[in-house]
Amino acid sequence: MLNIDDVKLHLRVDGYDEDDYIEALMTAATAVCAHHLDMPVEQLTSTTPSAIKSAAMLLIGSMYENREMTTERVAHINPTFAMLLQPYRVMTA
């Protein structure tokens, strides 16, 4: 669904030192998006709508910036993340 070059541009990362870490974040963000949408990860492909990709980028940016965050506060999903994904959620009975 995501391209590492686009993600690195979003993160403002040059070089290749963190590529493995960024690819792990990409995998995690894709899984979180699929879970939030209630669909299999395999459905998120290169033709995935840009809103879903943008939501994944927001999540990646947050995970990258706060990679070692420790806090007693409860983490919440960014409302923009949820808003971008809402139109694509699979609604089951």
Side-chain angles (χ1 to χ4, degrees), residues 1-87:
M1 170 175 86
L2 297 171
N3 173 310
I4 192 163
D5 292 327
D6 293 339
V7 173
K8 287 171 70 171
L9 181 64
H10 174 74
L11 297 174
R12 297 185 177 120
V13 171
D14 294 325
Y16 305 97
D17 294 344
E18 296 191 292
D19 281 7
D20 290 340
Y21 178 63
I22 292 169
E23 287 178 358
L25 294 178
M26 291 167 54
T27 299
T30 301
V32 170
C33 286
H35 176 75
H36 192 82
L37 294 168
D38 196 22
M39 65 175 52
V41 171
E42 296 77 26
Q43 284 188 327
L44 300 178
T45 66
S46 61
T47 60
T48 296
S50 61
I52 296 173
K53 292 179 182 181
S54 294
M57 292 277 209
L58 282 175
L59 188 55
I60 291 168
S62 179
M63 291 188 295
Y64 184 82
E65 186 68 26
N66 300 299
R67 67 177 80 188
E68 295 184 28
M69 183 176 77
T70 57
T71 181
E72 293 178 7
R73 294 182 342 176
V74 176
H76 296 281
I77 290 179
N78 180 330
T80 304
F81 171 84
M83 182 183 68
L84 286 167
L85 294 180
Q86 184 59 36

